[in-house]
C-alpha cells in the first residue's frame, strides 16, 4: 500500500477546480433498502467504484473532460444488473438511482443464453451471466462453456478425465493441445497457469505427449494443455467473459483467447444447492456476511463433487472439494480504495483405481492447490497521472502426485540402470512383479499486476489511456519421477526402452514480464459514434522479447447497425515441460550372459545420454483478424462475426536421430560361480538413438463465421428464441522433417532409416444451436429447449507423408530422395501404412435435443431438471473404412438440482 500512496501523492493535482461536474446516485433493493458494496461502473470514463453503507456513490469528473452523457452500470450479488444513460451538464451534479431486483425467475426478462457484447476487453466478447449459468445446472466451468459457447457440442457431463476447451478451431492432436495451452483462464483478475505442470510420461523417446495414468480412465493429468476445467466449480461463478478474438493489450501470455471469471463477492444470502445425476452428486453452499461499515463483507463458499459414470460403476469416480473465502472492504472513509483478499483451497479425493479389465493395474492422480490472491483499486479524482489504479497479486502452490502400476509376468529381463554415458553393468529384473512409476510435482506461481487508466480529451476526441505491467514467476522443483530399476514399467521387450529416476530440482525458472500501453478513443465521426482501441504490448517470456500490437474499432453505421473490426498479435510462453532438459537414454546391449546362478550373470550395456537443448524455444505467436456486424432493435438483435486466426511457432516434439558409436565387448573367460571376465574387442558399431526434442514447429490457420440471433420475449407466447451458427475451417502443418524408427530393421537395404514430411491436416465443422425459452414470470417457471444441428464435420490428413523424402544408411549418412523417386520400389520397405492418410466424414446431417426445466418457489426454493438427448435420437451409419457401425449422439442423460436461498 505504501507504493500506491507514493504514486498517488506524486500524481495528485495541486488543487481542485471550484466548478465541478459530478455524478452521484443510490442503489437500493426492491424493498428500498440500501445496498452497500454494490458495484458501479462508469462505462465511458472506464472507472469502477462501490457504494457506501447507505448505498450511495459519487464521482467528480476532471475539468478537462466534456462528457455530455455517461453510462452507469450497477450490479450486486444475486441481483439483476441495471444500466442507465445519464445526461451531464457542465459544472452541475447529475443524480441517478437504481432499484435492483432479485435475479430469479420472477423477473419479466431472464437471459439464459450467451450474448455477444462490446466490452473494454474486446469488441467481440461473449458474456455469460448468472441466470445462463444456473439454467444449465453445471458441475464445472467445462459444462458452462460446452453448453453456451457457439461452435461447441453439448455433451453429457463427464468428469472422469481432465477437460479443456478448443476456441475457434477444429484442429486435432498436438495442434489442439497448443490451442488449449494458449487459452488463458483469468480468475478474479489473475491468471490460472498450467505453465509449470510436469506430470507427464513423455520420455523423449517418442513424439507422443502422453500422460502417465491414461488407461481406459482418460487422463487425470493435463500437461501440455490448459488448466483442468473440472477443477473450477461452477457454484460460485457470477459472470464469465469469453474473448475468442482480439483481446485488450492488458492481457498477455495467451494465444487462443481468454476466459475471464468473476466470482460472487459481497453480501449475499445463504445459497445451498444439490445437483444429482446418475452416479454424480454435487453439493455447494455460499454466503456473503456483512461485517459492518468498516470491516466490509466476507463471502465463503464450499463445493463438493463425487462423480462416476453411473451408480453401478465407481471404478472411474472423480471426487473434489473446493472451498474459499473472499473478504471485500474499503480502506478509507471516502471509499476510494477498495480491497479484495481471497484464500482458496481445492483438492481431489480420488482413491486408488483398478482397471476394470485388469484388476492388477492401478492408477492414482492427486492434485491439491492453495491460492492466495489480493485485488484492489485506488480511485484518485484529482490526480495528474491516473484516474484509477488497480493492482493484484496471487500466489498458488499445487501438490501433484501421479501413479501407475500393473502386473508383469514376462520372465527375467535385462535392465540398464546407469544415468551416465558409457559402458556399465546392468541388472536383471524379477521374473514377475508389479511395475510402478510415480511422479511428484509442485508447481508454484507468484504473479502480480499494476494497471492505471487516465481519461483525457483533445477537442472532440475522448481518450481513456491505460497502461500497466505484470510479472509472474513459476517453478516446479521437487522429487520428480520415481522408478524402481528392478521393476521397470515398460512391458516392451525392447532392451533399449527403460526410464530412469529424474528429479525436478534443476528445472528452469519461468519468468514472464509484460508491459502495455493502450488508448481507447471515442468520438463522433460523420455524425456517428466511433470508438477505437490502439494498444501495444511487450513481453519477455522465458528469455525472448516480443511486441504485440492490437487494434480494434467500432463504428455506428446507423442507430441500430454497428460495424466492428480488430487485428492483434498475441504470444504464449513455452511451459516448463517444453523447456526442461530431461535426459534421454539409449541403451545398447553388449553382453547378455544369463544363467541360473545369479553370481554368474552379466548384463553389459552401453548407455548414450542425450540432454536436449531447449534454450532456443520462443513463445508461440498468434495473429487474429476479425470483422463483424451487429444489428440491434428492441425486439431482436443479430451479430455476424468472421475471423482468421494464424498460429506459428507452436510447440511440438520433433523426432530426431543421433548416431552412436557403440564399442563392442566379449566374454574373455566364463568362471563357475563368479561373474565372467570381459573386455573390449576393439570393434565399434554404429547405433541409432531416436529421440524427440521440442521445437517451434507447428503452424495452423483457422477461419470461421459466427452468427448469433436473439429475440426479446414474445409476450403472446411468453417465449424468446436464440440461435447461434458457427462454421469453422482449420489447416495445420509441421514443415519440419520427421525421422521414423523402423518397425523391422533391414540391414541389407541401403536405405535403413526413413525421413518423412509431416502430414498436412485440415478439418471443417458446422453447428447450429437453436434455443427456445418459454418463461412465465408470474409462476417463476422456465422451460428451455436446445436443439443442435450438426451440418457437416470432416477431417483430412494428406497422403504425401507416407513416402520417404530422405533416408539414413547403415553408416548414419543422410541422403535426400528426389521427388520422382520417392515412390520407387527401392524404398518400399520404408513406406508408412496407408491408413496414415485419409478422410473422416460424419456422412449425414443429424440433430440432438436437450430439455431444461426450472421452477422458482417464493424466491426461496428452486427445482431444476435437465434431460440431454431426451428423445433418445441416436442415428447410425456404417463406416466402411473402419468396418464398424458408428452411433451419432450420446445416450440420454438426466439430472436435477435443488437450490435453497435463505435471506
Amino acid at each position: 500500500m505504501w507504493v500506491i500512496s507514493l504514486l498517488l501523492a506524486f500524481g495528485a493535482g495541486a488543487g481542485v477546480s471550484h466548478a465541478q461536474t459530478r455524478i452521484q446516485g443510490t442503489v437500493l433493493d426492491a424493498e428500498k433498502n440500501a445496498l452497500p458494496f454494490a458495484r458501479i461502473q462508469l462505462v465511458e470514463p472506464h472507472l469502477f467504484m462501490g457504494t457506501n453503507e447507505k448505498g450511495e456513490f459519487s464521482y467528480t469528473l476532471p475539468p478537462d473532460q466534456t462528457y455530455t452523457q455517461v453510462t452507469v452500470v450497477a450490479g450486486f450479488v444475486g441481483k439483476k444488473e441495471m444500466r442507465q444513460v445519464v445526461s451531464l451538464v457542465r459544472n452541475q451534479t447529475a443524480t441517478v438511482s437504481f432499484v435492483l431486483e432479485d435475479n430469479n425467475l420472477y423477473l419479466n426478462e431472464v437471459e439464459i443464453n450467451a450474448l455477444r457484447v462490446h466490452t473494454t476487453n474486446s469488441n467481440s466478447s461473449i458474456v455469460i451471466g448468472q441466470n445462463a449459468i444456473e439454467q444449465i445446472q453445471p458441475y464445472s466451468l467445462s459444462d458452462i462453456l460446452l453448453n453456451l459457447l457457439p461452435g461447441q457440442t453439448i455433451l453429457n457431463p463427464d468428469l472422469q478425465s481432465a477437460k479443456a476447451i478448443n476456441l475457434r478451431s477444429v484442429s486435432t492432436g498436438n495442434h489442439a493441445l497448443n490451442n488449449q495451452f494458449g487459452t488463458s483462464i483469468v480468475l478474479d483478475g489473475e491468471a490460472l497457469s498450467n505453465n509449470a505442470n510436469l506430470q507427464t510420461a513423455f520420455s523423449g523417446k517418442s513424439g507422443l505427449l502422453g500422460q502417465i495414468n491414461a488407461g481406459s480412465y482418460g487422463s487425470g493429468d493435463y500437461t501440455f494443455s490448459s488448466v483442468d476445467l473440472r477443477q473450477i466449480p461452477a457454484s460460485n461463478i457470477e459472470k464469465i467473459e469469453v474473448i475468442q478474438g482480439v483481446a485488450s493489450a492488458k492481457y498477455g501470455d495467451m494465444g487462443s483467447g481468454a476466459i475471464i471469471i468473476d466470482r460472487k463477492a459481497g453480501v449475499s444470502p445463504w445459497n445451498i444447492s444439490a445437483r444429482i445425476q446418475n452416479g454424480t452428486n454435487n453439493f455447494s453452499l455460499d454466503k456473503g456476511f456483512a461485517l459492518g461499515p468498516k470491516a466490509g463483507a466476507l463471502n465463503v463458499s464450499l463445493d463438493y463433487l463425487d462423480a462416476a459414470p453411473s451408480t453401478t460403476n465407481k471404478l472411474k469416480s472423480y471426487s473434489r472439494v473446493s472451498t474459499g473465502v473472499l473478504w471485500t472492504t474499503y480502506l478509507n472513509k471516502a471509499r476510494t480504495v477498495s480491497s479484495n483478499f481471497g484464500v482458496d483451497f481445492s483438492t481431489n479425493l480420488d482413491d486408488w483405481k483398478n482397471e476394470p479389465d485388469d484388476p492388477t493395474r492401478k492408477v492414482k492422480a492427486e492434485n491439491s492447490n492453495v491460492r492466495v490472491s489480493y485485488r484492489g483499486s485506488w480511485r484518485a479524482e484529482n490526480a495528474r497521472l491516473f484516474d484509477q489504479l488497480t493492482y493484484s497479486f496471487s500466489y498458488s502452490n499445487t501438490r501433484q502426485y501421479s501413479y501407475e502400476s500393473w502386473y508383469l509376468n514376462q520372465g527375467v529381463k535385462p535392465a540398464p540402470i546407469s544415468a551416465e554415458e558409457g559402458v556399465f553393468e546392468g541388472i536383471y529384473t524379477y521374473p514377475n512383479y508389479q511395475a510402478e512409476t510415480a511422479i511428484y510435482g509442485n508447481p508454484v506461481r507468484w504473479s502480480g499486476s499494476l494497471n492505471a487508466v487516465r481519461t483525457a480529451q483533445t477537442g472532440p476526441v475522448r481518450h481513456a489511456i491505460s497502461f500497466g505491467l505484470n510479472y509472474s514467476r513459476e517453478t516446479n522443483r521437487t522429487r520428480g519421477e520415481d522408478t524402481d530399476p528392478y521393476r521397470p514399467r515398460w512391458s516392451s521387450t525392447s532392451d533399449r526402452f527403460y526410464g530412469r529416476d529424474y528429479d525436478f530440482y534443476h528445472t528452469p525458472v519461468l519468468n514472464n514480464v509484460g508491459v502495455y500501453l493502450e488508448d481507447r478513443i471515442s468520438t463522433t465521426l460523420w455524425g456517428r459514434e466511433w470508438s477505437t482501441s490502439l494498444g501495444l504490448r511487450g513481453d519477455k517470456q522465458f528469455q525472448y522479447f516480443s511486441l504485440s500490437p492490437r487494434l480494434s474499432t467500432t463504428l455506428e453505421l446507423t442507430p441500430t447497425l454497428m460495424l466492428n473490426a480488430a487485428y492483434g498479435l498475441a504470444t504464449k510462453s513455452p511451459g516448463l515441460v517444453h523447456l526442461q532438459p530431461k535426459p534421454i537414454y539409449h541403451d545398447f546391449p553388449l553382453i547378455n550372459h544369463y544363467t541360473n546362478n545369479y553370481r554368474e550373470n552379466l548384463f553389459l550395456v552401453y548407455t548414450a545420454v542425450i540432454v536436449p537443448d531447449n534454450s532456443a524455444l520462443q513463445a508461440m505467436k498468434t495473429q487474429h483478424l476479425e470483422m463483424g456486424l451487429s444489428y440491434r432493435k428492441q425486439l431482436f438483435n443479430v451479430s455476424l462475426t468472421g475471423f482468421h486466426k494464424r498460429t506459428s511457432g507452436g510447440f511440438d516434439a520433433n523426432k530426431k536421430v543421433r548416431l552412436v558409436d557403440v564399442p563392442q565387448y566379449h566374454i574373455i573367460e566364463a568362471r563357475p560361480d563368479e561373474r565372467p571376465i570381459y573386455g573390449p574387442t576393439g570393434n565399434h558399431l554404429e547405433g541409432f538413438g531416436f529421440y524427440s526434442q521440442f521445437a517451434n514447429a507447428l503452424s495452423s490457420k483457422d477461419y470461421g463465421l459466427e452468427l448469433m440471433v436473439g429475440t426479446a420475449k414474445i409476450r403472446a407466447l411468453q417465449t424468446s428464441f436464440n440461435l447461434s451458427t458457427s462454421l469453422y475451417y482449420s489447416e495445420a502443418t509441421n514443415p519440419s522433417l520427421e525421422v521414423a524408427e523402423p518397425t523391422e530393421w533391414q540391414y541389407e537395404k541401403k536405405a535403413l532409416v526413413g525421413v518423412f514430411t509431416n502430414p498436412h491436416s485440415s478439418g471443417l465443422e458446422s453447428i447450429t444451436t437453436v434455443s427456445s425459452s418459454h418463461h412465465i414470470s408470474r409462476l417463476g417457471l422456465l422451460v428451455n429447449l436446445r436443439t443442435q444441428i450438426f451440418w457437416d464435420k470432416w477431417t483430412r490428413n494428406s497422403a504425401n507423408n507416407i513416402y520417404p523424402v530422405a533416408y539414413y544408411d547403415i553408416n548414419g549418412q543422410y541422403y535426400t530422395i528426389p521427388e520422382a523417386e520417392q515412390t520407387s520400389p527401392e524404398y518400399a520397405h520404408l513406406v508408412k501404412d496407408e491408413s496414415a492418410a485419409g478422410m473422416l466424414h460424419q456422412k449425414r446431417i443429424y440433430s440432438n435435443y436437450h430439455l431444461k426445466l426450472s421452477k422458482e418457489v417464493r424466491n426461496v426454493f428452486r427445482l431444476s431438471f435437465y434431460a440431454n438427448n431426451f428423445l433418445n435420437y441416436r442415428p447410425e451409419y456404417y463406416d466402411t473404412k473402419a468396418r464398424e457401425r458408428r452411433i451419432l449422439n450420446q445416450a440420454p442423460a438426466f439430472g436435477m438440482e435443488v437450490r435453497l436461498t435463505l435471506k
Side-chain angles (χ1 to χ4, degrees), residues 62 182 228 261 481 499 717 785 885:
D228 184 3
I261 305 167
E481 188 169 348
L717 302 176
L785 173 65
R885 186 165 296 279

Side-chain angles (χ1 to χ4, degrees), residues 36-39 75-80 103-104 128-135 138 144 186-189 232-240 260-275 282-289 297-303 323-329 339-344 371 373 375 856 862 897-902:
F37 297 99
R39 301 182 305 276
F76 192 85
V77 179
K79 308 290 184 182
K80 183 180 179 180
N103 200 3
N104 56 42
I128 303 172
Q130 188 174 350
N131 276 325
I133 294 171
E134 291 176 348
Q135 182 64 15
I144 300 173
V186 181
L187 180 66
D188 294 338
I232 303 175
S235 56
N236 65 342
I237 295 178
E238 185 174 14
K239 185 176 73 172
I240 300 172
I260 303 169
I261 305 167
D262 288 328
R263 295 185 298 177
K264 299 175 183 177
V267 180
S268 63
W270 282 101
N271 287 296
I272 306 170
S273 300
R275 301 178 181 91
N282 181 210
F283 304 98
S284 64
L285 63 86
D286 62 79
K287 164 68 176 170
F289 297 93
L298 184 70
N299 190 281
V300 298
S301 62
L302 175 66
D303 187 279
T323 184
V325 295
L326 183 61
W327 177 32
T328 303
T329 189
S339 174
N340 295 269
F341 176 76
V343 179
D344 297 279
R371 183 173 183 263
S373 60
R375 178 170 59 167
E856 194 101 30
R862 178 186 285 195
E897 177 185 8
V898 178
R899 194 183 73 183
L900 189 64
T901 302
L902 302 175

Side-chain angles (χ1 to χ4, degrees), residues 518-585:
E518 187 171 64
D519 187 5
R520 293 189 289 271
I521 304 168
S522 58
T523 188
T524 301
L525 187 67
W526 303 308
R528 302 297 184 188
E529 287 297 320
W530 174 63
S531 63
T532 293
S533 176
L534 294 167
L536 181 64
R537 182 177 181 85
D539 288 282
K540 185 178 181 183
Q541 296 162 304
F542 186 42
Q543 58 183 3
Y544 295 97
F545 183 80
S546 59
L547 287 174
S548 302
R550 298 179 191 175
L551 166 67
S552 62
T553 186
T554 302
L555 176 63
E556 179 188 88
L557 301 178
T558 72
T560 57
L561 182 63
M562 303 287 289
L563 170 68
N564 65 77
Y567 169 81
L569 179 67
T571 59
K572 172 59 184 175
S573 168
L576 292 183
V577 71
H578 306 110
L579 298 170
Q580 64 163 337
K582 185 176 182 179
I584 303 167
Y585 301 95

Side-chain angles (χ1 to χ4, degrees), residues 47-90:
L47 296 175
F48 298 86
M49 62 192 71
T51 58
N52 60 21
E53 64 274 10
K54 297 180 181 179
E56 301 169 338
F57 68 92
S58 66
Y59 177 68
T60 301
L61 277 71
D64 61 346
Q65 293 183 11
T66 59
Y67 288 106
T68 59
Q69 63 180 30
V70 170
T71 304
V72 184
V73 181
F76 192 85
V77 179
K79 308 290 184 182
K80 183 180 179 180
E81 186 177 89
M82 289 187 63
R83 64 174 54 216
Q84 293 188 41
V85 178
V86 181
S87 298
L88 299 178
V89 178
R90 189 166 180 80

Side-chain angles (χ1 to χ4, degrees), residues 662-861:
V662 182
Q664 299 300 292
Y665 280 70
H666 68 135
I667 294 178
I668 299 174
E669 179 184 354
R671 300 177 296 176
D673 212 33
E674 291 186 57
R675 184 160 299 182
I677 299 175
Y678 59 89
T681 65
N683 298 323
H684 291 73
L685 292 178
E686 300 299 332
F688 290 85
F690 298 89
Y691 67 99
S692 295
Q693 181 171 336
F694 282 105
N696 295 109
L698 297 185
S699 298
S700 63
K701 297 178 182 178
D702 301 288
Y703 306 85
L705 288 172
E706 295 171 345
L707 173 67
M708 300 179 71
V709 181
T711 72
K713 183 192 290 187
I714 302 172
R715 297 298 175 185
L717 302 176
Q718 294 293 297
T719 303
S720 60
F721 297 91
N722 184 276
L723 177 145
S724 69
T725 293
S726 63
L727 173 63
Y728 296 155
Y729 172 76
S730 298
E731 294 181 352
T733 59
N734 184 343
S736 60
L737 299 179
E738 178 187 32
V739 178
E741 183 174 1
T743 55
E744 182 179 349
W745 291 87
Q746 300 186 37
Y747 294 100
E748 71 281 2
K749 303 284 188 180
K750 180 182 178 181
L752 187 61
V753 176
V755 180
F756 298 82
T757 59
N758 281 284
H760 171 88
S761 63
S762 57
L764 179 142
E765 185 173 26
S766 179
I767 301 175
T768 292
T769 302
V770 180
S771 170
S772 64
S773 302
H774 184 64
H775 174 219
I776 305 176
S777 57
R778 61 187 179 85
L779 298 180
L781 177 67
L782 191 148
V783 181
N784 176 239
L785 173 65
R786 291 184 189 269
T787 301
Q788 286 202 303
I789 304 171
F790 303 91
W791 301 104
D792 197 9
K793 181 177 182 179
W794 55 262
T795 58
R796 180 189 293 122
N797 288 323
S798 60
N800 60 354
N801 70 307
I802 66 175
Y803 299 104
V805 298
Y807 68 89
Y808 289 91
D809 67 11
I810 195 170
N811 297 314
Q813 296 296 313
Y814 179 87
Y815 297 91
T816 300
I817 303 175
E819 185 176 356
E821 300 178 14
Q822 291 173 6
T823 58
S824 168
E826 182 180 359
Y827 308 110
H829 62 290
L830 298 178
V831 174
K832 291 184 178 180
D833 188 349
E834 290 282 354
S835 63
M839 181 174 180
L840 296 176
H841 198 279
Q842 76 175 28
K843 302 298 183 183
R844 59 177 294 180
I845 298 173
Y846 67 101
S847 56
N848 205 345
Y849 308 90
H850 313 281
L851 180 67
K852 294 178 172 63
L853 170 69
S854 294
K855 176 66 174 75
E856 194 101 30
V857 180
R858 298 183 181 275
N859 199 18
V860 174
F861 179 79

